[in-house]
Amino acid sequence: MEVREASFTEVNQIRKWLKDTASWLKEKNIPQWERFLEDKKTEICLKDYNDKKLYVLEDDDKKIIGAMSFGKPEDIDIKLWDKPEDGYYIHRIVLPKEYRGKKKGEYMINWAKEIASNNKKELRLNCVNENEFLFNYYSNQGFNYNGSKLGYHLFKI
């Protein structure tokens, strides 16, 4: 497997995964990404691509099986973190249904940990306070809980 920058032709697939994941979260009563149920809001994927922050996970057959936003702080990060420039940020990890629960998200997170470490940056992420699943997931991935602010749990390594 390999993590690499997304190509323009992959943006629409990632937008679909984002919307599908938002729908799945809503079914589980997790209020994390309800805004992404609107097609217009999934345009964030194109912005991530244009900002060189959209990454995909390829399997050994070069098929994309996951995606995430990774890199410089977004507006929310500037509001949530002191010294936002000291970190790299993960947002919007998405996987198609058939790859959930198969450690593909963990693979992308470990890749991001290595990049952050090599560049002497903290790796940071957040989730809404009501998202117990992500709270536990990030803790199990080795992230340190860094408190809560503006309705978000903050994590860093």
Side-chain angles (χ1 to χ4, degrees):
M1 287 190 294
E2 176 187 17
V3 176
R4 62 164 174 77
E5 271 191 63
S7 69
F8 178 75
T9 59
E10 294 163 331
V11 171
N12 280 336
Q13 178 62 60
I14 298 165
R15 288 179 69 181
K16 181 182 180 314
W17 288 344
L18 182 58
K19 189 173 181 179
D20 289 349
T21 303
S23 181
W24 176 72
L25 290 169
K26 184 176 182 178
E27 288 170 17
K28 295 194 165 296
N29 292 317
I30 300 171
Q32 182 82 28
W33 285 355
E34 288 183 5
R35 68 190 179 278
F36 296 128
L37 293 171
E38 294 178 45
D39 286 336
K40 182 150 182 64
K41 298 292 185 175
T42 65
E43 290 176 4
I44 188 78
C45 297
L46 182 58
K47 181 179 182 339
D48 287 343
Y49 169 79
N50 288 330
D51 292 344
K52 300 200 176 296
K53 290 177 34 173
L54 188 61
Y55 288 82
V56 293
L57 175 63
E58 279 185 338
D59 68 10
D60 294 335
D61 296 323
K62 302 292 183 194
K63 176 183 175 188
I64 63 165
I65 58 173
M68 70 175 170
S69 173
F70 169 76
K72 294 178 184 175
E74 297 182 358
D75 291 344
I76 189 66
D77 303 313
I78 293 166
K79 294 174 185 173
L80 294 174
W81 293 92
D82 296 331
K83 298 185 179 180
E85 67 281 357
D86 289 350
Y88 285 151
Y89 298 83
I90 294 176
H91 290 284
R92 296 176 291 283
I93 296 174
V94 292
L95 301 163
K97 287 180 213 172
E98 64 268 26
Y99 293 102
R100 293 180 192 147
K102 297 186 178 177
K103 301 198 182 277
K104 305 307 180 194
E106 182 177 336
Y107 189 93
M108 290 188 285
I109 288 170
N110 286 335
W111 175 87
K113 286 178 186 176
E114 185 175 330
I115 299 298
S117 175
N118 289 346
N119 287 284
K120 296 179 179 26
K121 296 267 192 179
E122 288 183 348
L123 182 59
R124 301 172 176 174
L125 41 74
N126 65 65
C127 67
V128 295
N129 287 349
E130 297 85 5
N131 194 335
E132 270 185 62
F133 173 81
L134 277 183
F135 183 94
N136 293 325
Y137 181 76
Y138 295 149
S139 296
N140 290 334
Q141 296 302 311
F143 284 88
N144 299 308
Y145 179 61
N146 201 56
S148 181
K149 186 174 181 181
L150 301 175
Y152 291 90
H153 289 304
L154 309 178
F155 293 88
K156 69 179 181 178
I157 290 182

